[in-house]
Amino acid sequence: MTTSVEGGAPGTAPLESRLEAVFESVADAVTVMDRNGRIRFANPAAAQLLGRSSANELIGLSGGELLAEYELLDTDGSPLPPDALPSRRALAGEASPERVVRFRRRGSLDDRWSLVRARLLSGRTADEDLVVSAFQDITSLKRSESRLRFLAEASAILAESVDYARTLQRVADTAVPELADWCVVDVLEWTHGISRVAIAHRDPAGLELANQVWSRWPPDPRRYGAVHEMLRRRSPVLIPDVTDDLLSDAAQDAEHLAVLRRLNMRSVLVVPLEARGEVLGALTLVQSESGRRLDEADVDLAVELGRRAGAAIDVARLVWEAQENARLREEFIAVASHDMRTPLAAVRGYAQLAQRHLEREEAPDGAALGRWLRDIDHAVDRLARLVSELLDASLVRADQQVPLQLGPTTLSQLVREVVERYEQLSDRHGFVVETPEPEPVGMWDAARLARVLDNLVGNAVKFSPDGGEVRLRTGQEGDRAFISVTDQGIGIPATDREMIFNPMYRGGNVDGVAGTGLGLAGSRRLVEMMGGSIQVASEVGRGSTFTVWLPVQPPSSGEASGI
């Protein structure tokens, strides 16, 4: 203070010094300014609020010098004129004015809020008037309010649509700059691994650079990365200070490191997108230009946002699966009906031929009748196999047991029977059978194994529209026997090779080729029930090889029944 107050009890410090001690112990920032706007007193809290190491650095500064260092904003983010400050209003004669002031250092994007109150202390003359201002830091409160408001807005956005990619982009746009300078959302796809579905950045140039990094240097799980680390730990990963060593560990080459440095990342937080105990992806928040660093206080909010976004993804996928299953069921019914009509039409046709022949001929041609009856038998057998396949598929989809009939079975015999049938049906394909000596024999369900083999050979023929060789091999390696079926057909795209074993899934390059999508799914399930497995190797445009592996020793009764 520039004035002093006489008096006080004997042996006590002057009142002025005791008042200074009181103000220095106050948690709120306090300043005293004169009519000329110069600071005459400031406590340590004021120095901290205004970025000074001690209160002495503020003494003597004018209001104009301070205002030159800061941008003043209203609560809505619009510029706040200096005359609206409570200290100016107090000097103008307004009684005890107060206002929430939002401010930031010039060049910074880290906003802070204070509730400012001011009071005029009149002196003996106007020149001796002083204004006491108290600043209550409410930054944490305002950020909490903002985050709650953000969560409410994000929840509303997430509930609007089941198009989760577009919805997550809107959430990312809302999160910037409210929560961070960047927001990135990655989703785990069944066939493509990590897929980026949304990215937002407060700076368009930064957004372009971030997209460039993703496209040229996709995440490498062999190198350190916050997203892969979160997926491994299944818990949030906070990097409060992104060091150059971390960037070097993550960089895939020198150019990649140079671009990462240009991104100016200061802190990173990655949280899981989670629903029903399953991690569906990652939400990444990055601070860079604003200068603010993410800390533990940000983790809870990000985790809650990730939980809500994960629930939205889960709902969207469930809706998509329901719609896709409905579509596939309709397609399956149509294809199954067609497949059943074909052998039924053959039965009717051959039966009518035989009936007319018997009606016209006094001496029936036994050879012709025998040929028609064999064709009828083949058609009925095909229809029976289709019905059995449908029944087994319905049991598998209902998670019920498929009763196996295990018995001594010779693989080469099954192969020859299936090949003989297809040799009669197809004149565009050549069939080659390779069987070793001695022939593999095991305890398997011969009828269902024949159906598996029939499905594999049928696919080899169906997906080799230009004909070519279909090669079948049997053999034994150690305690496992195998059957392989190789064709020269259209092949299977890499992204479909595991999915083709899912019920009613069909590859992306089979348009125009009829099928139910049940054959491979049912075949794998039956082989697994016999203790075996199916593998596929394929190259698009050059063909595929399916290999069935079977244990020579029979599985236990529990395994055989599918328990």
Side-chain angles (χ1 to χ4, degrees), residues 54-269:
S54 71
N56 289 332
E57 295 180 19
L58 294 173
I59 304 302
L61 290 179
S62 68
E65 289 172 326
L66 272 179
L67 290 178
E69 299 180 19
Y70 294 92
E71 293 180 67
L72 300 181
L73 306 171
D74 208 341
T75 53
D76 61 0
S78 61
L80 182 69
D83 287 343
L85 291 172
S87 59
R88 300 287 183 90
R89 290 161 55 195
L91 284 171
E94 186 174 336
S96 302
E98 69 175 32
R99 187 186 194 103
V100 173
V101 178
R102 182 176 177 181
F103 63 98
R104 65 170 76 113
R105 279 193 170 276
R106 296 191 184 277
S108 170
L109 298 174
D110 187 15
D111 290 355
R112 302 192 68 82
W113 286 262
S114 284
L115 176 61
V116 184
R117 299 180 178 90
R119 183 172 180 179
L120 176 65
L121 300 179
S122 299
R124 288 171 294 185
T125 65
D127 290 339
E128 294 182 357
D129 288 347
L130 298 174
V131 174
V132 179
S133 299
F135 303 78
Q136 182 181 357
D137 188 356
I138 58 172
T139 301
S140 297
L141 175 62
K142 296 299 289 186
R143 285 178 177 167
S144 296
E145 290 177 357
S146 177
R147 291 170 175 182
L148 290 174
R149 184 171 60 253
F150 167 76
L151 277 179
E153 293 175 3
S155 297
I157 291 171
L158 291 168
E160 285 179 2
S161 171
V162 293
D163 182 353
Y164 73 84
R166 185 172 65 180
T167 299
L168 291 176
Q169 181 61 58
R170 289 185 60 197
V171 170
D173 292 338
T174 305
V176 173
E178 190 72 34
L179 303 184
D181 299 327
W182 306 13
C183 181
V184 180
V185 183
D186 299 312
V187 172
L188 289 173
E189 301 286 358
W190 292 315
T191 57
H192 299 91
I194 297 176
S195 176
R196 179 149 295 177
V197 297
I199 180 170
H201 197 295
R202 68 189 311 154
D203 178 13
L207 177 61
E208 182 179 350
L209 189 60
N211 280 323
Q212 176 188 343
V213 170
W214 174 265
S215 60
R216 292 190 57 188
W217 297 281
D220 184 351
R222 294 170 299 179
R223 295 182 174 272
Y224 179 82
V227 171
H228 284 103
E229 179 70 9
M230 184 281 295
L231 293 174
R232 183 183 66 81
R233 288 165 41 179
R234 298 175 63 89
S235 62
V237 172
L238 172 64
I239 306 175
D241 187 18
V242 177
T243 64
D244 197 66
D245 287 342
L246 280 177
L247 296 181
S248 299
D249 290 341
Q252 299 177 26
D253 52 47
E255 185 181 2
H256 188 200
L257 177 59
V259 175
L260 288 177
R261 287 169 174 162
R262 287 172 56 196
L263 290 173
N264 194 31
M265 292 182 288
R266 296 183 178 226
S267 57
V268 176
L269 171 60

Side-chain angles (χ1 to χ4, degrees), residues 207 357 424 458:
L207 177 61
H357 181 79
Q424 297 175 8

Side-chain angles (χ1 to χ4, degrees), residues 448-467:
R448 288 187 168 87
L449 194 53
R451 197 165 75 236
V452 169
L453 186 57
D454 180 78
N455 179 265
L456 297 179
V457 176
N459 284 346
V461 171
K462 182 164 54 177
F463 296 115
S464 304
D466 297 329

Side-chain angles (χ1 to χ4, degrees), residues 186-456:
D186 299 312
V187 172
L188 289 173
E189 301 286 358
W190 292 315
T191 57
H192 299 91
I194 297 176
S195 176
R196 179 149 295 177
V197 297
I199 180 170
H201 197 295
R202 68 189 311 154
D203 178 13
L207 177 61
E208 182 179 350
L209 189 60
N211 280 323
Q212 176 188 343
V213 170
W214 174 265
S215 60
R216 292 190 57 188
W217 297 281
D220 184 351
R222 294 170 299 179
R223 295 182 174 272
Y224 179 82
V227 171
H228 284 103
E229 179 70 9
M230 184 281 295
L231 293 174
R232 183 183 66 81
R233 288 165 41 179
R234 298 175 63 89
S235 62
V237 172
L238 172 64
I239 306 175
D241 187 18
V242 177
T243 64
D244 197 66
D245 287 342
L246 280 177
L247 296 181
S248 299
D249 290 341
Q252 299 177 26
D253 52 47
E255 185 181 2
H256 188 200
L257 177 59
V259 175
L260 288 177
R261 287 169 174 162
R262 287 172 56 196
L263 290 173
N264 194 31
M265 292 182 288
R266 296 183 178 226
S267 57
V268 176
L269 171 60
V270 185
V271 298
L273 303 176
E274 194 168 6
R276 295 186 292 168
E278 179 184 1
V279 175
L280 305 178
L283 173 74
T284 303
L285 299 175
V286 181
Q287 292 289 18
S288 54
E289 289 84 354
S290 67
R292 194 174 78 83
R293 297 187 187 276
L294 295 159
D295 54 32
E296 293 293 342
D298 298 295
V299 174
D300 289 343
L301 174 68
V303 167
E304 179 61 20
L305 178 60
R307 187 186 66 79
R308 298 186 189 196
I313 295 173
D314 189 44
V315 169
R317 285 183 171 177
L318 289 174
V319 171
W320 180 85
E321 288 176 5
Q323 294 172 340
E324 186 69 4
N325 284 337
R327 183 188 68 80
L328 290 173
R329 277 195 298 271
E330 292 176 1
E331 181 179 320
F332 163 72
I333 291 172
V335 172
S337 299
H338 174 271
D339 285 356
M340 288 184 175
R341 283 198 299 269
T342 301
L344 285 173
V347 169
R348 172 176 287 181
Y350 290 130
Q352 289 175 346
L353 278 175
Q355 184 178 5
R356 286 197 295 270
H357 181 79
L358 289 173
E359 290 174 351
R360 290 198 306 265
E361 300 291 336
E362 293 183 1
D365 184 349
L369 286 175
R371 184 173 65 255
W372 293 332
L373 288 173
R374 284 194 301 273
D375 289 337
I376 289 173
D377 182 61
H378 288 156
V380 171
D381 183 54
R382 180 181 173 188
L383 183 60
R385 289 197 306 273
L386 180 58
V387 171
S388 295
E389 183 176 332
L390 294 176
L391 289 174
D392 282 355
S394 66
L395 289 174
V396 170
R397 288 182 65 82
D399 200 25
Q400 297 181 15
Q401 299 177 13
V402 176
L404 299 181
Q405 304 295 324
L406 302 179
T409 304
T410 303
L411 292 184
S412 59
Q413 180 180 343
L414 288 179
V415 168
R416 292 188 187 97
E417 290 175 354
V418 172
V419 167
E420 180 182 351
R421 185 162 59 250
Y422 277 94
E423 284 176 335
Q424 297 175 8
L425 296 174
S426 175
D427 56 2
R428 303 187 63 189
H429 297 79
F431 294 88
V432 177
V433 177
E434 299 178 5
T435 58
E437 293 291 345
E439 298 178 352
V441 178
M443 295 292 290
W444 306 304
D445 186 322
R448 288 187 168 87
L449 194 53
R451 197 165 75 236
V452 169
L453 186 57
D454 180 78
N455 179 265
L456 297 179

